[in-house]
Amino acid sequence: MNDQNVPGKGAAIGSLVCGIVSIVFWFFGITSILSLILGIVGLILSSSAKKAGYNEGLRTAGFVLSLLGTIFGALIFVSCIACAGCLGAAGGLSALSTY
């Protein structure tokens, strides 16, 4: 069988790319919401590749990276929102204490 016509290989490659890009978005703070979205898309593509019968290491790597991107992307996004809330509350308190 030709290597280019393997069913599910394209979805596995897409999953791997989404997983890598989702990990890269960890380092950009509030844009980690994109990390969460790309991680979910990567998980869907990995599942699609598995249903198509492609069960090589490429699909597994895409699944793992997408899962990490989803989990840590969500954690970083929540942390950024909480930090912004704390800074906003601290700024509001200091403005009230000057009166």
Side-chain angles (χ1 to χ4, degrees):
M1 183 181 273
N2 192 355
D3 194 35
Q4 294 176 349
N5 294 331
V6 177
K9 186 172 183 177
I13 291 172
S15 172
L16 183 64
V17 169
C18 285
I20 291 170
V21 173
S22 70
I23 289 176
V24 168
F25 275 121
W26 289 352
F27 303 103
F28 295 112
I30 198 68
T31 60
S32 63
I33 188 71
L34 293 176
S35 175
L36 179 63
I37 293 168
L38 285 172
I40 292 170
V41 170
L43 289 173
I44 292 169
L45 287 173
S46 176
S47 173
S48 171
K50 187 172 185 176
K51 285 180 185 175
Y54 190 79
N55 212 11
E56 301 288 327
L58 190 65
R59 187 203 60 86
T60 305
F63 175 76
V64 169
L65 289 176
S66 296
L67 186 63
L68 289 173
T70 302
I71 292 169
F72 288 108
L75 287 174
I76 292 170
F77 181 70
V78 169
S79 298
C80 285
I81 297 298
C83 186
C86 288
L87 289 175
L93 291 177
S94 65
L96 292 175
S97 64
T98 59
Y99 292 111

